[in-house]
Amino acid sequence: CSPFFQHALNSGVRRYHVASVLCQRAKVAMSHFEPNEYINYERLEKNINIVRKRLDRPLTLSEKIVYGHLDDPAKQEIERGKTYLRLRPDRVAMQDATAQMAMLQFISSGLPKVAVPSTIHCDHLIEAQSGGEKDLQRAKDINQEVYNFLSTAGAKYGVGFWKPGSGIIHQIILENYSYPGVLLIGTDSHTPNGGGLGGVCIGVGGADAVDVMAGIPWELKCPKVIGVKLTGKLSGWTSPKDVILKVAGILTVKGGTGAIIEYHGPGVDSISCTGMATICNMGAEIGATTSIFPYNERMKKYLGKTGRADIAALADEFKQHLIPDSGCQYDQVIEINLSELKPHINGPFTPDLAHPVSDIGTVAEKEGWPVDIRVGLIGSCTNSSYEDMGRSAAVAKQALAHGLKCKSKFTITPGSEQIRATIERDGYAKVLREVGGLVLANACGPCIGQWDRKDIKKGEKNTIVTSYNRNFTGRNDANPETHAFVTSPEIVTALSIAGTLKFNPETDYLTGADGKKFKLEAPDADELPKLEFDPGQDTYQYPPKDGSGQRVDVSPTSQRLQLLEPFDKWDGKDLEDMLILIKVKGKCTTDHISAAGPWLKFRGHLDNISNNLLIGAINIENGKANSVRNALTQEFGPVPDTARYYKKMGVKWAVIGDENYGEGSSREHAALEPRHLGGRVIITKSFARIHETNLKKQGLLPLTFADPADYNKIHPVDKLSIVGLKDFAPGKPLKCIIKHPNGSQETIMLNHTFNESQIEWFQAGSALNRMKELQQKSS
């Protein structure tokens, strides 16, 4: 038997499948939940060798993994930032809010079973109110219809189902499914979290997931590669979170668009595996396609601790394909000396407004931001690891030793049932409760607006600090006056104890209950538990071998779920005299286009959730949100009502947007809703990657101004015509005629990024319609 097999036998793989490791060349399962689905490093190696020979140059790590999953490595045209790649991902993951629409679309495809390993994770529909157990039970009661749909759809179509309470999708993926060299797509923008284990994990919309689950090659524009060279070593109060907070400050919210961020250099080895995941996770906030770290001993250690030493041993054999080639070239290089990096805090209202923690108090006072902290919140998919909880508990212990508790309200969100159970066993949760913390359910909670916040009134100006990833206006609590700052969990804990942004834990003193001053020491904690992880409750539902007899019911009177009707095909004509639903001023994220929070309950019902279309976007005409002029009646009213009126009257409409339109979440509802309510064209200065693809998938035309200054030529009262659609072709701009109310006209040019197959989506009415056309032709 091979040395590899002996290693697997001797590694103490906890209660998982050593049986899947075979003599001869090792066969190792991708996950212990799918013992018959194997890691295929041989295919990766073969494809990399083909591409390397063709390109005749050293490859970056991300290129190796992406090109290693090409559908046709011998013939695929490869040019960074230009060509579209046809890829074969290894697996799909879906969170419950986006899985509803993804599974409804998959049902519409008529296929009997998914073609690749896929999972559904229940994490988005649990609202934080009074604490973990009560909130979880309440969510199960309220969302029973949706959970039942996802559970039965998973069983019927071969999709694994993680029940509510299991944890946040990205933590579950890191613990069970990500591995070095995997290509995984997930219907959530923070899917890149899996890059902490050396995988290319990319956030997509549900329609992309349907393609992969249907066995169709998945398209991705060939990413550029931004290298971040890390030197030095993390120490003291500086944490992995500070790396991405610093990078966000450098690149801004759109600086990573169309690129993979690849971390490398000697500093990498000073970061834990879960710390690397934190950095990759928040790479979504700079628009990056994904982020990744090279395979190293920290990843090997994490794989071993999570029962996957067999995967680590196999990765060791293929390590040359799981690290970048010497001499590889990056499109841009940023260098960060970790020894000099200081703790950072970013915000408010945007995740790229970076400040050293030492400066934030002064900056806040100067800017008029509230310095008193109302609530500190730790956890979320970005920072809820065992190490994160340990470092926060280490800070809390010091405060308790001096008789102090948090001055601010304080909440803790464990990332998974495994993390929750382990921090309970090891005493971290007890310490965090004693310092004043409330442990919430293993779910997204306040990070995505699932927070029934009671301590302030809407419109009240206040500050919160979180260890989350995103801090757009109103995101956490639907209050536009909440100033949200993102930082590391240990800094959140320290600031919550002090109760003010003016506290710098590196230099400032606190006063203990005995009146004596003391300084918090920099926290130290184990990156992994000394004992094995406690798995907690079993929350996974395996799909049956044959689910063909499983019923999946969607009631026609349901307010939560609605079967999809195909969108109408293009009629072959130019889009003439479209009205402008809204000309958006400034930042317009997917939260502005399709709000989360209380609207999450309608994610499976397209018509109901369309009542939130663009209600957060600011109308340039009056500076107000959710107030637009109806061009047919001249009355101002809500955006969704106006769109419905235009649809009823048979009038097509367009949206005009600013820079990086659609940044943030991967939610495809932000594309489905305008299509459902009669929209045809979205014209902007620039798009965020995922949203642009989602719009294309639903048969809309996402177009950009050839001259960004032309944004100023269009007024909300104008009519627009897009002409030349019969000659719609890749790389060929489209002509837009602007018709002003006074009878004058202007012509501008609009760019697009459609390739030939994407133009077929537009012509068919949607990508799903086109899939059905192809199925009918082949049958």
Side-chain angles (χ1 to χ4, degrees):
C1 205
S2 72
F4 174 88
F5 186 63
Q6 288 300 327
H7 175 92
L9 287 175
N10 296 334
S11 63
V13 177
R14 181 172 65 103
R15 77 181 189 282
Y16 301 147
H17 61 282
V18 176
S20 69
V21 185
L22 307 178
C23 294
Q24 307 112 30
R25 188 79 188 196
K27 289 182 78 175
V28 176
M30 283 197 268
S31 154
H32 62 269
F33 294 107
E34 296 135 354
N36 298 315
E37 299 283 353
Y38 300 111
I39 293 174
N40 194 343
Y41 281 151
E42 288 86 356
R43 182 189 69 174
L44 188 77
E45 182 175 59
K46 180 182 175 183
N47 288 359
I48 289 170
N49 289 337
I50 291 170
V51 172
R52 185 186 280 113
K53 187 175 180 181
R54 284 182 55 203
L55 298 182
D56 192 27
R57 62 171 173 81
L59 301 177
T60 69
L61 169 59
S62 47
E63 285 183 306
K64 288 182 181 182
I65 299 174
V66 171
Y67 305 161
H69 286 82
L70 285 168
D71 184 50
D72 187 353
K75 296 179 181 177
Q76 171 71 60
E77 190 179 354
I78 300 170
E79 186 179 354
R80 286 188 199 167
K82 296 283 179 67
T83 57
Y84 279 87
L85 307 178
R86 290 166 61 83
L87 302 167
R88 292 286 184 179
D90 296 301
R91 64 179 310 120
V92 174
M94 300 168 280
Q95 42 95 335
D96 51 356
T98 49
Q100 295 170 62
M101 199 58 69
M103 292 309 295
L104 286 165
Q105 289 177 87
F106 188 81
I107 290 170
S108 297
S109 75
L111 295 168
K113 193 172 183 179
V114 296
V116 301
S118 304
T119 50
I120 294 168
H121 304 260
C122 294
D123 61 359
H124 269 57
L125 302 179
I126 303 167
E127 185 181 53
Q129 277 192 342
S130 55
E133 289 185 18
K134 288 182 180 179
D135 293 346
L136 177 59
Q137 188 54 54
R138 180 172 174 270
K140 288 178 178 178
D141 294 340
I142 292 172
N143 302 308
Q144 183 179 4
E145 179 186 13
V146 170
Y147 292 148
N148 181 63
F149 166 72
L150 294 173
S151 171
T152 54
K156 184 173 182 67
Y157 297 106
V159 180
F161 179 70
W162 288 85
K163 301 172 188 176
S166 59
I168 305 172
I169 177 173
H170 311 302
Q171 184 71 29
I172 298 291
I173 289 171
L174 198 71
E175 292 172 355
N176 300 280
Y177 298 117
S178 186
Y179 60 83
V182 70
L183 176 60
L184 179 153
I185 67 165
T187 61
D188 189 279
S189 58
H190 293 109
T191 301
N193 192 80
L197 257 178
V200 169
C201 302
I202 301 177
V204 299
D208 276 349
V210 172
D211 280 356
V212 177
M213 291 191 292
I216 297 171
W218 173 60
E219 282 194 346
L220 176 72
K221 182 176 270 193
C222 187
K224 293 184 177 182
V225 189
I226 297 174
V228 179
K229 184 179 180 181
L230 301 178
T231 60
K233 186 178 180 181
L234 286 177
S235 63
W237 283 92
T238 306
S239 74
K241 186 68 164 280
D242 297 307
V243 176
I244 186 58
L245 295 175
K246 178 72 173 178
V247 171
I250 295 168
L251 287 177
T252 78
V253 289
K254 67 173 190 172
T257 303
I260 293 178
I261 311 296
E262 187 170 310
Y263 294 86
H264 62 282
V268 165
D269 291 336
S270 75
I271 304 172
S272 67
C273 177
T274 52
M276 290 187 260
T278 290
I279 294 167
C280 293
N281 177 295
M282 199 176 156
E285 304 340 308
I286 54 176
T289 300
T290 191
S291 301
I292 191 170
F293 279 82
Y295 177 60
N296 66 2
E297 287 298 313
R298 305 300 279 268
M299 294 182 192
K300 182 175 182 177
K301 187 175 178 182
Y302 182 81
L303 285 167
K305 203 66 169 179
T306 51
R308 296 175 288 170
D310 50 352
I311 293 179
L314 187 62
D316 283 342
E317 287 193 24
F318 287 87
K319 186 171 182 179
Q320 76 267 29
H321 303 305
L322 305 174
I323 58 176
D325 286 342
S326 177
C328 67
Q329 295 296 307
Y330 297 102
D331 294 285
Q332 178 183 350
V333 176
I334 296 166
E335 188 163 338
I336 296 175
N337 185 336
L338 300 179
S339 299
E340 297 173 357
L341 184 64
K342 290 292 186 182
H344 273 62
I345 183 168
N346 289 22
F349 306 123
T350 184
D352 58 353
L353 187 57
H355 321 271
V357 171
S358 57
D359 296 346
I360 189 61
T362 303
V363 173
E365 287 187 320
K366 180 183 174 185
E367 297 291 338
W369 303 331
V371 295
D372 289 341
I373 298 167
R374 291 294 189 92
V375 191
L377 306 99
I378 66 170
S380 89
C381 64
T382 320
N383 278 113
S384 56
S385 67
Y386 185 82
E387 181 182 36
D388 289 328
M389 295 295 143
R391 284 174 68 89
S392 296
V395 175
K397 271 184 184 177
Q398 295 179 61
L400 289 169
H402 290 85
L404 295 187
K405 290 190 175 186
C406 290
K407 286 186 179 177
S408 311
K409 290 182 180 293
F410 186 52
T411 70
I412 302 99
T413 304
S416 68
E417 171 61 8
Q418 179 165 277
I419 293 294
R420 183 208 62 77
T422 306
I423 67 170
E424 288 286 1
R425 181 197 68 194
D426 293 352
Y428 291 167
K430 182 175 183 287
V431 170
L432 294 170
R433 285 192 190 95
E434 287 176 350
V435 85
L438 175 66
V439 179
L440 301 174
N442 314 322
C444 302
C447 184
I448 59 162
Q450 284 284 42
W451 185 14
D452 185 18
R453 190 176 179 191
K454 301 291 191 185
D455 63 294
I456 57 153
K457 295 177 182 176
K458 191 167 183 178
E460 184 179 343
K461 200 172 178 181
N462 75 103
T463 284
I464 64 173
V465 292
T466 82
S467 70
Y468 303 162
N469 42 42
R470 205 165 271 167
N471 59 347
F472 301 139
T473 303
R475 176 174 174 83
N476 302 120
D477 60 2
N479 178 14
E481 290 300 323
T482 292
H483 294 56
F485 296 84
V486 292
T487 184
S488 68
E490 50 266 51
I491 293 292
V492 172
T493 306
L495 293 178
S496 299
I497 291 164
T500 175
L501 288 176
K502 295 197 287 185
F503 179 69
N504 176 11
E506 286 191 300
T507 58
D508 295 344
Y509 287 79
L510 294 167
T511 303
D514 59 2
K516 294 180 181 178
K517 291 188 178 296
F518 72 98
K519 194 162 163 250
L520 292 170
E521 297 295 324
D524 188 32
D526 294 331
E527 67 179 279
L528 295 165
K530 289 183 172 64
L531 303 174
E532 295 296 311
F533 275 110
D534 182 340
Q537 298 178 34
D538 182 7
T539 54
Y540 180 71
Q541 173 187 293
Y542 288 85
K545 286 184 179 179
D546 180 8
S548 58
Q550 174 71 55
R551 284 179 59 91
V552 181
D553 293 324
V554 177
S555 167
T557 59
S558 172
Q559 294 301 301
R560 299 290 302 271
L561 299 165
Q562 180 186 47
L563 291 173
L564 297 173
E565 294 292 329
F567 290 131
D568 58 309
K569 292 181 63 171
W570 176 54
D571 60 9
K573 301 176 182 177
D574 287 336
L575 296 169
E576 298 275 3
D577 293 332
M578 290 180 292
L579 299 178
I580 294 169
L581 177 65
I582 183 173
K583 181 179 179 183
V584 177
K585 179 183 178 183
K587 187 185 281 282
C588 190
T589 71
T590 47
D591 281 299
H592 294 87
I593 304 167
S594 176
W599 291 95
L600 285 167
K601 61 178 173 285
F602 296 125
R603 283 287 181 86
H605 197 293
L606 180 54
D607 193 56
N608 281 346
I609 199 167
S610 293
N611 289 322
N612 75 4
L613 174 65
L614 285 159
I615 61 175
I618 301 300
N619 179 8
I620 200 167
E621 187 174 5
N622 57 12
K624 295 180 180 179
N626 202 25
S627 174
V628 294
R629 182 195 301 271
N630 184 320
L632 302 180
T633 67
Q634 296 304 311
E635 295 176 355
F636 279 84
V639 182
D641 295 3
T642 307
R644 286 187 187 277
Y645 186 85
Y646 292 163
K647 182 180 180 181
K648 179 182 174 184
M649 303 303 291
V651 178
K652 297 178 177 68
W653 52 263
V655 170
I656 310 301
D658 212 316
E659 293 278 8
N660 208 30
Y661 184 89
E663 69 173 282
S665 166
S666 69
R667 67 192 68 148
E668 67 180 337
H669 299 78
L672 283 160
E673 292 175 33
R675 183 72 166 96
H676 175 63
L677 295 185
R680 284 294 184 267
V681 181
I682 313 293
I683 306 170
T684 72
K685 294 179 183 177
S686 63
F687 285 98
R689 174 190 65 85
I690 300 176
H691 186 59
E692 182 182 25
T693 302
N694 287 345
L695 291 167
K696 292 178 184 178
K697 287 274 184 178
Q698 303 308 335
L700 284 147
L701 285 177
L703 307 172
T704 56
F705 295 104
D707 180 357
D710 288 344
Y711 169 87
N712 297 317
K713 292 181 178 178
I714 298 177
H715 305 287
V717 292
D718 294 337
K719 291 183 179 179
L720 304 178
S721 295
I722 306 296
V723 298
L725 286 174
K726 287 183 180 177
D727 300 317
F728 190 15
K732 183 180 179 181
L734 289 168
K735 186 183 292 184
C736 175
I737 300 170
I738 307 167
K739 299 179 181 179
H740 301 300
N742 64 6
S744 65
Q745 295 186 4
E746 294 181 79
T747 299
I748 63 173
M749 300 308 293
L750 301 173
N751 294 331
H752 67 84
T753 60
F754 281 79
N755 61 24
E756 288 179 4
S757 62
Q758 292 170 345
I759 290 172
E760 291 172 352
W761 299 345
F762 167 72
Q763 292 167 340
S766 72
L768 191 58
N769 287 359
R770 180 59 181 156
M771 183 198 297
K772 289 181 181 176
E773 287 178 356
L774 294 172
Q775 285 172 357
Q776 289 166 1
K777 284 181 183 178
S778 63
S779 62

